[in-house]
Amino acid sequence: MRFATPFLILSSIASSAFAAFSNPYAPLSYFVMSGVVDITAPVQIPNPLGTRVSNEWTGGNFTDYRGNVFATVVQGAGENGLVDSAGIFHLDARMTLKLNDESNTYAYLQYLGIGKFGAVDNFYLRVETNSTKYNFLNQMFIWGNATIPGAYLLVDTFSPTKPA
């Protein structure tokens, strides 16, 4: 009997502690922008951690949450990531966009994520822009997915914050 009371106290504490938790849920998400980016064949560079992969952006455009084409891709190259020895792709890409409706206005995009090269990669997107129309992107938490179905890259992005 001397163990029954402590056991009842502990079970009461445990049941009340678990009763306070609710089931997890995915956050509401809003569409932010999508892009179709023309790319070159990847350059693959073996190294001790796996294979570095780099594509050149050769063109393309981005559409905003209202369905308007708002930017074109500035041609350029950069390191796009590492395929590790287990076959996991660690995305680390940068891209510059020229905004269409503002003079001398650009957006810098940095993608950090993980996935399978050529298949779907999930990423966090950081945006820097000097745009007055799209400056709200500087303060948004944005995530998305990217895939390479051919000689182009498809990008779709979302946020828990509704675009302005």
Side-chain angles (χ1 to χ4, degrees):
M1 191 68 188
R2 60 180 206 210
F3 293 110
T5 302
F7 177 73
L8 289 174
I9 292 171
L10 287 175
S11 66
S12 174
I13 292 170
S15 65
S16 63
F18 288 113
F21 293 107
S22 60
N23 290 331
Y25 62 94
L28 181 63
S29 61
Y30 298 94
F31 172 73
V32 178
M33 64 180 146
S34 63
V36 178
V37 182
D38 300 320
I39 58 173
T40 61
V43 175
Q44 299 183 10
I45 306 164
N47 71 42
L49 300 176
T51 304
R52 286 271 167 211
V53 180
S54 182
N55 294 82
E56 181 179 351
W57 320 123
T58 59
N61 61 59
F62 275 71
T63 303
D64 69 13
Y65 59 97
R66 288 174 254 163
N68 301 317
V69 174
F70 77 100
T72 56
V73 176
V74 174
Q75 184 173 348
E79 182 183 329
N80 300 130
L82 169 75
V83 179
D84 67 22
S85 58
I88 303 298
F89 182 58
H90 302 268
L91 178 67
D92 185 3
R94 290 147 185 86
M95 181 182 298
T96 302
L97 303 178
K98 169 72 175 97
L99 277 61
N100 296 337
D101 57 354
E102 295 180 67
S103 177
N104 201 30
T105 305
Y106 294 86
Y108 166 83
L109 310 179
Q110 180 181 17
Y111 300 86
L112 296 169
I114 195 162
K116 181 130 179 90
F117 185 71
V120 174
D121 300 312
N122 298 301
F123 60 81
Y124 159 72
L125 175 65
R126 187 172 68 84
V127 178
E128 294 174 13
T129 183
N130 61 343
S131 168
T132 55
K133 185 175 180 180
Y134 292 97
N135 67 347
F136 64 89
L137 293 171
N138 294 326
Q139 290 84 35
M140 291 183 76
F141 179 85
I142 302 172
W143 72 86
N145 56 60
T147 186
I148 302 175
Y152 55 97
L153 168 71
L154 297 177
V155 177
D156 293 305
T157 65
F158 307 91
S159 177
T161 306
K162 190 171 185 175

